[in-house]
Amino acid sequence: MKERKTPKLEQYFQALTKEDASDLHLKAGQPPHIRRSSKLMPANAPALTSEAILEMARELFTPEQAEKFERYGSVDLAWEVEGQDRFRVNVFLQRGRASLAARRVTRNIPSFDQLHLPESMRKIANVHQGLVLLSGPTGSGKSTTIAAMLQYINETRSCHIVTVEDPIEYLFEDNKALINQREIGVDVENFPDALKFLMRQD
């Protein structure tokens, strides 16, 4: 059996976890930058070329993601360091050169209490029908709040949950609920198709 080749970017991801940092930024002509305690700071490392960033990014791409990047100049993906954290990654071009932004998503899904969410969030999660919109600026905790709500439902209700994500961030394990997580571009082509198929998935 062929051994899995470890992508070079995993070294950066592992350093992010070790430093308890939230974000990694790679930009051509600049050293890597990390965000820790809301402050963006350069790492003690040499500047990267656009070619070096692209070479590392391509190690993460599926063929479909590589095609999307070539077509649109940007692609979203998720990457999991085995036994550690997951990372939400965006690779994009700016002024014709490559950049990369990665957000660390810890493996542990926090509870309502750990997030200090109001009791109204628990009440919303107990509702069986309706539309809930959770909005806010980047980095405000939308994904984490949604994960906490889904995990609460998972622990308290026997039901079928289907998520449609681009990309998948938090990974759920079935508890009282049965959870299927679908990723755009991997499990289903687009959001409209995913929503149409939901009607057939109980």
Side-chain angles (χ1 to χ4, degrees), residues 42-181:
N44 185 18
L48 294 165
T49 65
S50 178
E51 292 76 16
I53 294 170
L54 269 180
E55 182 182 333
M56 290 189 289
R58 286 191 174 114
E59 291 183 314
L60 308 186
F61 288 169
T62 63
E64 293 78 14
Q65 289 165 343
E67 182 184 343
K68 187 175 180 181
F69 179 77
E70 292 302 321
R71 184 183 301 174
Y72 299 110
S74 178
V75 69
D76 290 315
L77 59 107
W79 189 263
E80 182 175 5
V81 178
E82 193 171 341
Q84 297 183 35
D85 294 324
R86 284 175 65 80
F87 296 84
R88 185 177 65 198
V89 183
N90 179 262
V91 186
F92 59 99
L93 294 176
Q94 63 90 29
R95 294 166 59 188
R97 299 196 293 175
S99 288
L100 179 148
R103 165 70 52 87
R104 178 173 155 238
V105 182
T106 63
R107 293 178 64 85
N108 301 320
I109 301 172
S111 67
F112 288 147
D113 293 337
Q114 289 171 318
L115 292 174
H116 306 289
L117 293 173
E119 185 60 28
S120 58
M121 299 303 289
R122 199 182 312 268
K123 291 179 181 176
I124 291 170
N126 281 321
V127 173
H128 286 235
Q129 291 183 341
L131 175 66
V132 176
L133 300 178
L134 189 64
S135 62
T138 300
S140 62
K142 297 183 298 294
S143 296
T144 306
T145 300
I146 291 170
M149 295 177 78
L150 290 175
Q151 185 61 15
Y152 171 77
I153 296 169
N154 186 27
E155 293 170 352
T156 59
R157 192 188 311 168
S158 296
C159 61
H160 181 207
I161 297 171
V162 181
T163 71
V164 181
E165 306 177 59
D166 184 17
I168 289 173
E169 296 182 27
Y170 287 96
L171 294 177
F172 296 91
E173 293 184 10
D174 299 341
N175 191 331
K176 285 192 173 181
L178 186 66
I179 304 179
N180 284 295
Q181 295 180 257

Side-chain angles (χ1 to χ4, degrees), residues 28-42:
Q30 290 286 335
H33 282 62
I34 63 170
R35 183 181 302 282
R36 189 171 55 197
S37 303
S38 301
K39 185 180 290 186
L40 195 64
M41 59 192 78

Side-chain angles (χ1 to χ4, degrees), residues 8-34:
K8 292 178 184 176
L9 270 169
E10 280 205 2
Q11 296 175 10
Y12 289 93
F13 295 159
Q14 288 169 349
L16 213 63
T17 299
K18 184 178 178 182
E19 294 291 328
D20 197 26
S22 62
D23 297 86
L24 169 71
H25 290 269
L26 303 181
K27 180 183 176 184
Q30 290 286 335
H33 282 62
I34 63 170

